[in-house]
Amino acid sequence: DAKTTQPPSMDCAEGRAANLPCNHSTISGNEYVYWYRQIHSQGPQYIIHGLKNNETNEMASLIITEDRKSSTLILPHATLRDTAVYYCIVRLRMDSSYKLIFGSGTRLLVRP
Amino acid sequence: SAVISQKPSRDICQRGTSLTIQCQVDSQVTMMFWYRQQPGQSLTLIATANQGSEATYESGFVIDKFPISRPNLTFSTLTVSNMSPEDSSIYLCSVEAVASGRFFGPGTRLTVL
């Protein structure tokens, strides 16, 4: 019961910004949005996460709408190595921790 | 960050047999999880490995099929029992490291003939 919706695939040109959208309309007030990516045959790699403010790190920026029902992951200057499946995940609270339930993700192809 | 290793990295097994997958972390972690990724699919959470107690399984997964152990803070095993071709998947270990976040291992690629 993934709580996110993503387009199945996208592409962008190398050197351009890649903007990956995600809908999470049923998100609760204390649930975080996480982004991971999975390069072919490897374990998922953490990218970024946020609650309600926009976030930026060395890999990407995360823009969360004011109503928190959607977000966008931005890779500012995509490279060929950014070709991967990108997962937008809503972190679900457990008793003493939380669990990450993966949706189907977006397959991003960066073109030369 | 936590460095996670899994053994074996891949295996080919016969129907009806069992395989135990090991997950070792280089530092103490609070939580450990096991995921399955079937061919061409996303990751599905199998269970939370609890130290010193029975694992907590997600809907559709049972202990008889996927027994899990976690004897200490850095090690866990997942056994895939009485395997069938439908169990062919990548099995991934994931850990929650204190103040560092959630990390994933490289996965174990299992093929059942």
Coordinates of all heavy atoms in Angstrom, one line a residue, chain A residues 15-96:
Chain A
G15 N 23.4 17.2 -18.6 CA 23.7 18.6 -18.3 C 22.5 19.5 -18.0 O 22.6 20.6 -17.4
R16 N 21.3 19.0 -18.3 CA 20.1 19.7 -18.0 C 19.5 19.3 -16.6 O 19.9 18.2 -16.1 CB 19.0 19.5 -19.1 CG 19.5 19.8 -20.5 CD 19.8 21.3 -20.6 NE 18.7 22.1 -20.4 CZ 17.9 22.5 -21.5 NH1 18.1 22.1 -22.7 NH2 16.8 23.3 -21.2
A17 N 18.6 20.0 -16.1 CA 18.0 19.7 -14.8 C 16.9 18.6 -15.1 O 16.2 18.6 -16.1 CB 17.3 20.9 -14.2
A18 N 16.9 17.6 -14.2 CA 15.9 16.6 -14.2 C 14.9 16.8 -13.0 O 15.4 17.0 -11.9 CB 16.5 15.2 -14.0
N19 N 13.7 17.0 -13.4 CA 12.6 17.3 -12.4 C 11.7 16.1 -12.3 O 10.9 15.8 -13.2 CB 11.8 18.5 -12.8 CG 12.7 19.7 -12.8 OD1 13.2 20.3 -11.8 ND2 13.0 20.2 -14.0
L20 N 11.7 15.4 -11.2 CA 10.9 14.2 -11.0 C 9.8 14.4 -10.0 O 10.0 14.7 -8.9 CB 11.8 13.0 -10.5 CG 12.8 12.4 -11.5 CD1 14.1 13.2 -11.4 CD2 13.1 11.0 -11.1
P21 N 8.5 14.3 -10.5 CA 7.4 14.6 -9.7 C 6.9 13.4 -8.9 O 7.2 12.3 -9.3 CB 6.3 15.0 -10.7 CG 6.6 14.2 -11.9 CD 8.1 14.0 -11.9
C22 N 6.2 13.7 -7.8 CA 5.7 12.6 -6.9 C 4.4 13.2 -6.3 O 4.4 14.3 -5.7 CB 6.7 12.2 -5.9 SG 6.1 10.9 -4.8
N23 N 3.3 12.4 -6.3 CA 2.1 12.8 -5.6 C 2.0 11.9 -4.4 O 2.1 10.7 -4.4 CB 0.9 12.5 -6.5 CG 0.8 13.6 -7.6 OD1 1.1 14.8 -7.4 ND2 0.4 13.2 -8.8
H24 N 1.6 12.5 -3.3 CA 1.4 11.8 -2.0 C 0.3 12.5 -1.3 O 0.4 13.1 -0.2 CB 2.7 11.8 -1.2 CG 3.6 12.9 -1.3 ND1 3.4 14.1 -0.7 CD2 4.8 13.0 -2.0 CE1 4.4 15.0 -1.0 NE2 5.2 14.3 -1.8
S25 N -0.9 12.5 -1.9 CA -2.0 13.3 -1.5 C -2.6 12.8 -0.1 O -3.3 13.6 0.5 CB -3.2 13.2 -2.5 OG -3.5 11.9 -2.8
T26 N -2.3 11.6 0.3 CA -2.8 11.1 1.6 C -1.8 11.2 2.7 O -2.0 10.6 3.8 CB -3.3 9.7 1.5 OG1 -2.2 8.8 1.1 CG2 -4.4 9.6 0.4
I27 N -0.7 11.9 2.5 CA 0.3 12.0 3.5 C -0.2 12.7 4.8 O -1.0 13.6 4.8 CB 1.5 12.8 2.9 CG1 2.8 12.6 3.8 CG2 1.2 14.3 2.7 CD1 4.0 13.2 3.2
S28 N 0.3 12.1 5.9 CA -0.1 12.7 7.2 C 0.9 13.8 7.6 O 2.0 13.9 7.1 CB -0.1 11.6 8.3 OG -1.1 10.6 8.0
G29 N 0.4 14.6 8.6 CA 1.2 15.7 9.0 C 2.6 15.4 9.5 O 3.5 16.3 9.3
N30 N 2.9 14.3 10.1 CA 4.2 14.0 10.6 C 4.9 12.9 9.8 O 5.9 12.3 10.3 CB 4.1 13.5 12.0 CG 3.2 12.2 12.1 OD1 2.6 11.8 11.2 ND2 3.2 11.6 13.3
E31 N 4.5 12.7 8.6 CA 5.2 11.7 7.7 C 6.1 12.5 6.8 O 5.8 13.4 6.1 CB 4.1 10.9 6.9 CG 3.3 10.0 7.7 CD 2.3 9.2 6.9 OE1 1.8 9.7 5.9 OE2 2.0 8.0 7.3
Y32 N 7.3 11.9 6.7 CA 8.4 12.5 5.9 C 8.3 11.9 4.4 O 7.8 10.8 4.2 CB 9.8 12.2 6.4 CG 10.2 13.0 7.6 CD1 9.6 12.8 8.9 CD2 11.1 14.0 7.5 CE1 10.0 13.5 10.0 CE2 11.5 14.7 8.6 CZ 10.9 14.5 9.8 OH 11.3 15.2 10.9
V33 N 8.8 12.7 3.5 CA 9.0 12.2 2.1 C 10.5 11.9 1.9 O 11.3 12.8 2.2 CB 8.5 13.3 1.1 CG1 8.8 12.8 -0.3 CG2 7.1 13.6 1.3
Y34 N 10.7 10.7 1.5 CA 12.1 10.3 1.2 C 12.3 10.0 -0.3 O 11.3 9.6 -1.0 CB 12.4 9.0 2.0 CG 12.9 9.2 3.4 CD1 12.0 9.7 4.3 CD2 14.2 8.8 3.8 CE1 12.4 9.8 5.6 CE2 14.6 9.0 5.1 CZ 13.7 9.5 6.0 OH 14.2 9.7 7.3
W35 N 13.5 10.2 -0.8 CA 13.8 9.8 -2.1 C 15.0 8.9 -2.1 O 16.1 9.3 -1.5 CB 14.1 11.1 -3.0 CG 12.8 11.8 -3.5 CD1 12.1 12.7 -2.7 CD2 12.2 11.6 -4.7 NE1 11.1 13.1 -3.5 CE2 11.1 12.5 -4.7 CE3 12.4 10.9 -5.8 CZ2 10.2 12.6 -5.8 CZ3 11.5 11.0 -6.9 CH2 10.4 11.9 -6.9
Y36 N 14.9 7.8 -2.8 CA 16.0 6.9 -3.0 C 16.1 6.7 -4.5 O 15.2 6.9 -5.3 CB 15.8 5.5 -2.4 CG 16.1 5.5 -0.9 CD1 15.2 6.1 0.0 CD2 17.2 4.9 -0.4 CE1 15.4 6.0 1.4 CE2 17.5 4.9 1.0 CZ 16.6 5.5 1.9 OH 16.9 5.4 3.2
R37 N 17.3 6.2 -4.9 CA 17.4 5.8 -6.3 C 18.2 4.4 -6.4 O 18.9 4.1 -5.4 CB 18.2 6.8 -7.2 CG 19.7 6.9 -6.9 CD 20.3 7.9 -7.8 NE 21.8 8.0 -7.6 CZ 22.5 8.9 -8.3 NH1 21.9 9.8 -9.1 NH2 23.8 8.9 -8.1
Q38 N 17.9 3.7 -7.4 CA 18.5 2.4 -7.6 C 19.1 2.3 -9.0 O 18.3 2.3 -10.0 CB 17.4 1.3 -7.3 CG 18.0 -0.1 -7.3 CD 17.0 -1.2 -7.0 OE1 15.8 -1.1 -7.2 NE2 17.5 -2.3 -6.4
I39 N 20.4 2.2 -9.0 CA 21.1 2.0 -10.2 C 21.1 0.5 -10.5 O 21.2 -0.3 -9.5 CB 22.5 2.6 -10.1 CG1 22.4 4.1 -10.0 CG2 23.3 2.3 -11.4 CD1 23.7 4.9 -9.7
H40 N 21.0 0.2 -11.7 CA 20.8 -1.2 -12.1 C 21.6 -2.2 -11.2 O 22.8 -2.1 -11.1 CB 21.2 -1.4 -13.6 CG 21.0 -2.8 -14.1 ND1 19.7 -3.4 -14.1 CD2 21.8 -3.7 -14.5 CE1 19.8 -4.6 -14.6 NE2 21.1 -4.9 -14.8
S41 N 20.9 -3.2 -10.6 CA 21.4 -4.3 -9.9 C 22.1 -3.9 -8.6 O 22.8 -4.7 -8.0 CB 22.4 -5.1 -10.8 OG 21.7 -5.7 -11.9
Q42 N 22.0 -2.7 -8.2 CA 22.6 -2.3 -6.9 C 21.5 -2.0 -5.8 O 20.3 -1.9 -6.2 CB 23.4 -1.0 -7.1 CG 24.6 -1.1 -8.0 CD 25.3 0.2 -8.1 OE1 25.3 1.0 -7.3 NE2 26.1 0.3 -9.2
G43 N 21.9 -1.9 -4.6 CA 20.9 -1.6 -3.5 C 20.5 -0.1 -3.6 O 21.3 0.7 -4.1
P44 N 19.3 0.2 -3.2 CA 18.9 1.6 -3.2 C 19.8 2.5 -2.5 O 20.4 2.2 -1.4 CB 17.5 1.6 -2.6 CG 17.0 0.2 -2.8 CD 18.2 -0.7 -2.7
Q45 N 20.0 3.7 -3.0 CA 20.9 4.8 -2.5 C 20.0 5.9 -2.0 O 19.2 6.5 -2.7 CB 21.9 5.2 -3.6 CG 22.8 6.3 -3.1 CD 23.6 6.9 -4.3 OE1 23.2 6.8 -5.5 NE2 24.7 7.6 -4.0
Y46 N 20.3 6.4 -0.8 CA 19.5 7.5 -0.2 C 19.9 8.8 -1.0 O 21.1 9.0 -1.3 CB 19.9 7.7 1.3 CG 19.4 9.0 1.9 CD1 18.1 9.2 2.3 CD2 20.4 10.0 2.0 CE1 17.7 10.4 2.8 CE2 20.0 11.2 2.6 CZ 18.7 11.4 3.0 OH 18.3 12.6 3.5
I47 N 18.9 9.6 -1.3 CA 19.2 10.9 -1.9 C 18.9 12.1 -1.0 O 19.8 12.9 -0.7 CB 18.3 11.1 -3.2 CG1 18.6 9.9 -4.2 CG2 18.6 12.4 -3.8 CD1 17.7 10.0 -5.4
I48 N 17.7 12.1 -0.5 CA 17.3 13.3 0.3 C 16.0 13.0 1.0 O 15.2 12.1 0.5 CB 17.2 14.5 -0.7 CG1 17.2 15.9 0.1 CG2 15.9 14.5 -1.5 CD1 17.4 17.1 -0.8
H49 N 15.6 13.8 2.0 CA 14.3 13.6 2.6 C 13.9 15.0 3.1 O 14.7 15.9 3.3 CB 14.2 12.6 3.7 CG 14.9 12.9 4.9 ND1 16.3 12.8 5.1 CD2 14.4 13.4 6.1 CE1 16.6 13.2 6.3 NE2 15.5 13.6 7.0
G50 N 12.5 15.1 3.4 CA 12.0 16.4 3.9 C 10.7 16.2 4.5 O 10.0 15.2 4.3
L51 N 10.3 17.2 5.3 CA 9.0 17.1 6.0 C 8.0 18.2 5.3 O 7.0 17.8 4.8 CB 9.1 17.4 7.5 CG 7.8 17.4 8.3 CD1 7.2 16.0 8.2 CD2 8.1 17.7 9.7
K52 N 8.4 19.4 5.4 CA 7.6 20.4 4.8 C 8.4 21.6 4.1 O 7.8 22.3 3.3 CB 6.5 21.0 5.8 CG 7.2 21.5 7.0 CD 6.1 22.0 8.0 CE 6.7 22.5 9.3 NZ 5.6 22.9 10.2
N53 N 9.6 21.7 4.5 CA 10.4 22.7 3.9 C 11.2 22.2 2.8 O 11.5 21.0 2.7 CB 11.4 23.3 5.0 CG 10.7 24.0 6.1 OD1 9.7 24.7 5.9 ND2 11.2 23.7 7.3
N54 N 11.6 23.0 1.9 CA 12.4 22.6 0.8 C 13.8 22.2 1.3 O 14.3 22.9 2.3 CB 12.6 23.7 -0.3 CG 11.2 24.0 -0.9 OD1 10.3 23.2 -0.9 ND2 11.1 25.2 -1.5
E55 N 14.4 21.2 0.7 CA 15.7 20.8 1.2 C 16.7 20.7 0.0 O 16.3 20.4 -1.1 CB 15.6 19.4 1.8 CG 14.6 19.3 3.0 CD 15.2 20.0 4.2 OE1 16.4 20.2 4.3 OE2 14.4 20.2 5.2
T56 N 18.0 20.9 0.3 CA 19.0 20.8 -0.7 C 20.2 20.1 -0.1 O 20.6 20.4 1.0 CB 19.4 22.1 -1.3 OG1 18.3 22.7 -1.9 CG2 20.5 22.0 -2.3
N57 N 20.8 19.2 -0.8 CA 22.1 18.7 -0.4 C 23.0 18.5 -1.7 O 22.7 19.1 -2.7 CB 22.0 17.3 0.3 CG 21.4 16.2 -0.6 OD1 21.4 16.3 -1.8 ND2 20.8 15.2 0.1
E58 N 24.1 17.9 -1.5 CA 25.1 17.8 -2.6 C 24.6 17.0 -3.8 O 25.1 17.2 -4.9 CB 26.4 17.2 -2.2 CG 26.3 15.8 -1.7 CD 25.8 15.6 -0.3 OE1 25.4 16.6 0.3 OE2 25.8 14.5 0.2
M59 N 23.5 16.2 -3.6 CA 23.0 15.4 -4.7 C 21.8 16.1 -5.4 O 21.7 16.0 -6.7 CB 22.6 14.0 -4.2 CG 23.7 13.1 -3.8 SD 23.1 11.5 -3.3 CE 22.5 10.9 -4.8
A60 N 20.9 16.7 -4.7 CA 19.7 17.1 -5.2 C 19.0 18.1 -4.4 O 19.4 18.4 -3.3 CB 18.8 15.9 -5.4
S61 N 17.9 18.6 -4.9 CA 17.0 19.5 -4.2 C 15.6 18.8 -4.1 O 15.2 18.1 -5.0 CB 16.9 20.9 -4.8 OG 18.1 21.6 -4.8
L62 N 14.9 19.1 -3.0 CA 13.6 18.5 -2.8 C 12.6 19.7 -2.6 O 12.8 20.5 -1.6 CB 13.5 17.6 -1.6 CG 12.1 17.0 -1.3 CD1 11.5 16.3 -2.4 CD2 12.3 16.2 0.0
I63 N 11.6 19.8 -3.5 CA 10.6 20.9 -3.3 C 9.3 20.2 -2.9 O 8.8 19.4 -3.6 CB 10.4 21.7 -4.7 CG1 11.8 22.1 -5.2 CG2 9.5 22.8 -4.5 CD1 12.5 23.1 -4.3
I64 N 8.8 20.6 -1.8 CA 7.5 20.1 -1.3 C 6.5 21.2 -1.3 O 6.7 22.3 -0.9 CB 7.7 19.6 0.1 CG1 8.7 18.5 0.2 CG2 6.3 19.0 0.7 CD1 9.1 18.0 1.6
T65 N 5.3 20.9 -1.9 CA 4.3 21.9 -2.0 C 3.8 22.3 -0.6 O 3.9 21.5 0.3 CB 3.1 21.4 -2.9 OG1 2.6 20.2 -2.3 CG2 3.6 21.2 -4.3
E66 N 3.1 23.5 -0.6 CA 2.7 24.0 0.7 C 1.7 23.0 1.4 O 1.7 22.9 2.6 CB 2.1 25.4 0.6 CG 1.9 26.1 1.9 CD 1.5 27.6 1.7 OE1 1.8 28.1 0.6 OE2 1.0 28.1 2.6
D67 N 0.8 22.4 0.6 CA -0.2 21.5 1.1 C 0.4 20.1 1.4 O -0.3 19.2 1.8 CB -1.4 21.4 0.3 CG -1.1 20.9 -1.1 OD1 0.0 20.4 -1.4 OD2 -2.0 20.9 -2.0
R68 N 1.7 19.9 1.0 CA 2.4 18.6 1.2 C 1.8 17.5 0.4 O 2.2 16.3 0.6 CB 2.5 18.3 2.6 CG 3.2 19.3 3.5 CD 3.8 18.8 4.7 NE 3.3 17.6 5.3 CZ 4.0 16.5 5.5 NH1 5.2 16.4 5.0 NH2 3.4 15.5 6.0
K69 N 1.0 17.7 -0.6 CA 0.4 16.6 -1.3 C 1.2 16.2 -2.5 O 0.9 15.2 -3.2 CB -1.0 17.0 -1.8 CG -2.0 17.2 -0.6 CD -3.4 17.5 -1.1 CE -4.4 17.5 0.0 NZ -5.8 17.7 -0.4
S70 N 2.3 16.9 -2.8 CA 3.2 16.5 -3.9 C 4.6 17.1 -3.6 O 4.7 18.0 -2.8 CB 2.6 17.0 -5.2 OG 2.6 18.4 -5.3
S71 N 5.5 16.5 -4.3 CA 6.9 17.0 -4.2 C 7.6 16.8 -5.6 O 7.1 16.1 -6.4 CB 7.6 16.4 -3.1 OG 7.7 15.0 -3.3
T72 N 8.7 17.5 -5.7 CA 9.6 17.3 -6.9 C 11.0 17.2 -6.5 O 11.5 18.0 -5.7 CB 9.4 18.5 -7.8 OG1 8.1 18.7 -8.2 CG2 10.3 18.3 -9.1
L73 N 11.6 16.1 -7.0 CA 13.1 16.0 -6.8 C 13.8 16.6 -8.0 O 13.4 16.3 -9.2 CB 13.4 14.5 -6.7 CG 14.9 14.2 -6.6 CD1 15.4 14.5 -5.2 CD2 15.2 12.7 -7.0
I74 N 14.8 17.4 -7.8 CA 15.5 18.1 -8.8 C 16.9 17.7 -8.8 O 17.6 17.9 -7.8 CB 15.4 19.6 -8.7 CG1 13.9 20.1 -8.7 CG2 16.2 20.3 -9.8 CD1 13.7 21.5 -8.4
L75 N 17.4 17.1 -9.9 CA 18.8 16.9 -10.1 C 19.3 18.0 -11.0 O 18.9 18.1 -12.2 CB 19.1 15.6 -10.8 CG 18.4 14.3 -10.2 CD1 18.7 13.1 -11.0 CD2 18.9 14.2 -8.7
P76 N 20.1 19.0 -10.5 CA 20.3 20.2 -11.2 C 21.1 20.1 -12.5 O 20.8 20.8 -13.5 CB 21.1 21.1 -10.2 CG 21.6 20.1 -9.2 CD 20.7 19.0 -9.2
H77 N 22.0 19.2 -12.6 CA 22.8 19.0 -13.8 C 23.0 17.5 -14.0 O 23.9 16.9 -13.6 CB 24.1 19.7 -13.7 CG 24.1 21.1 -13.3 ND1 23.7 22.1 -14.2 CD2 24.3 21.8 -12.2 CE1 23.7 23.3 -13.6 NE2 24.1 23.1 -12.4
A78 N 22.0 16.9 -14.6 CA 22.0 15.4 -14.8 C 23.2 14.9 -15.6 O 23.6 15.5 -16.6 CB 20.7 15.0 -15.4
T79 N 23.7 13.8 -15.1 CA 24.8 13.2 -15.9 C 24.3 11.8 -16.2 O 23.3 11.3 -15.8 CB 26.1 13.0 -15.0 OG1 25.9 12.1 -14.0 CG2 26.5 14.4 -14.4
L80 N 25.1 11.1 -17.1 CA 24.7 9.8 -17.5 C 24.6 8.8 -16.4 O 23.8 7.9 -16.4 CB 25.7 9.3 -18.6 CG 25.8 10.1 -19.9 CD1 26.9 9.5 -20.8 CD2 24.5 10.2 -20.6
R81 N 25.4 9.1 -15.3 CA 25.4 8.2 -14.1 C 24.2 8.4 -13.3 O 24.0 7.6 -12.3 CB 26.7 8.5 -13.3 CG 28.0 8.0 -14.0 CD 29.2 8.3 -13.1 NE 29.4 9.7 -13.0 CZ 30.4 10.2 -12.2 NH1 31.2 9.4 -11.6 NH2 30.6 11.5 -12.2
D82 N 23.4 9.4 -13.6 CA 22.1 9.5 -12.9 C 21.0 8.7 -13.4 O 19.9 8.7 -12.9 CB 21.7 11.0 -12.9 CG 22.7 11.9 -12.1 OD1 23.1 11.5 -11.0 OD2 22.9 13.0 -12.5
T83 N 21.3 8.0 -14.5 CA 20.3 7.0 -15.1 C 20.0 6.0 -14.0 O 20.9 5.2 -13.6 CB 20.8 6.4 -16.4 OG1 20.8 7.4 -17.4 CG2 19.8 5.3 -16.8
A84 N 18.8 5.9 -13.6 CA 18.4 5.0 -12.5 C 16.9 5.0 -12.3 O 16.2 5.8 -13.0 CB 19.1 5.4 -11.2
V85 N 16.4 4.1 -11.4 CA 15.0 4.2 -11.0 C 15.0 5.0 -9.7 O 15.7 4.7 -8.7 CB 14.4 2.8 -10.7 CG1 13.0 2.9 -10.3 CG2 14.5 2.0 -12.0
Y86 N 14.1 6.0 -9.7 CA 14.0 6.9 -8.5 C 12.7 6.7 -7.8 O 11.6 6.6 -8.4 CB 14.0 8.4 -9.0 CG 15.4 8.8 -9.4 CD1 15.9 8.4 -10.7 CD2 16.2 9.5 -8.6 CE1 17.2 8.7 -11.1 CE2 17.5 9.9 -9.0 CZ 18.0 9.5 -10.2 OH 19.3 9.8 -10.6
Y87 N 12.8 6.4 -6.5 CA 11.7 6.1 -5.7 C 11.3 7.3 -4.7 O 12.2 7.7 -4.0 CB 11.9 4.9 -4.8 CG 12.1 3.6 -5.7 CD1 13.4 3.1 -5.9 CD2 11.0 2.9 -6.1 CE1 13.5 1.9 -6.7 CE2 11.2 1.7 -6.9 CZ 12.4 1.2 -7.1 OH 12.6 0.1 -7.8
C88 N 10.1 7.7 -4.7 CA 9.6 8.6 -3.8 C 8.8 7.8 -2.7 O 7.9 7.0 -3.1 CB 8.6 9.6 -4.5 SG 7.6 10.7 -3.5
I89 N 9.1 8.0 -1.5 CA 8.6 7.1 -0.4 C 8.1 8.0 0.7 O 8.7 9.0 1.1 CB 9.7 6.2 0.1 CG1 10.3 5.4 -1.0 CG2 9.2 5.3 1.2 CD1 11.7 4.8 -0.6
V90 N 6.9 7.7 1.2 CA 6.4 8.3 2.4 C 6.8 7.4 3.6 O 6.5 6.2 3.6 CB 4.9 8.5 2.4 CG1 4.4 8.9 3.8 CG2 4.6 9.5 1.3
R91 N 7.5 7.9 4.5 CA 8.0 7.1 5.7 C 6.8 6.9 6.6 O 6.2 7.8 7.1 CB 9.1 7.9 6.4 CG 9.8 7.1 7.4 CD 10.9 7.9 8.1 NE 10.3 8.8 9.1 CZ 11.1 9.5 10.0 NH1 12.4 9.5 9.8 NH2 10.6 10.2 10.9
L92 N 6.5 5.6 6.9 CA 5.4 5.2 7.8 C 5.9 4.9 9.2 O 6.8 4.1 9.3 CB 4.7 4.0 7.2 CG 4.1 4.2 5.8 CD1 3.5 2.9 5.3 CD2 3.2 5.3 5.7
R93 N 5.3 5.5 10.2 CA 5.7 5.4 11.5 C 5.4 4.0 12.1 O 4.3 3.5 11.9 CB 5.0 6.4 12.4 CG 5.4 6.4 13.9 CD 6.8 7.0 14.0 NE 7.3 6.8 15.4 CZ 8.5 7.2 15.8 NH1 9.4 7.7 14.9 NH2 8.9 7.0 17.0
M94 N 6.4 3.4 12.7 CA 6.2 2.1 13.5 C 6.2 2.4 14.9 O 6.2 3.6 15.3 CB 7.3 1.1 13.1 CG 7.3 0.7 11.7 SD 8.9 -0.1 11.2 CE 9.0 -1.4 12.4
D95 N 6.2 1.4 15.8 CA 6.1 1.7 17.2 C 7.4 2.5 17.7 O 7.2 3.5 18.3 CB 6.1 0.3 18.0 CG 4.7 -0.3 17.8 OD1 3.8 0.4 17.5 OD2 4.7 -1.6 17.9
S96 N 8.5 2.0 17.3 CA 9.8 2.6 17.8 C 10.6 3.1 16.7 O 11.7 3.5 16.9 CB 10.5 1.7 18.8 OG 10.8 0.5 18.1

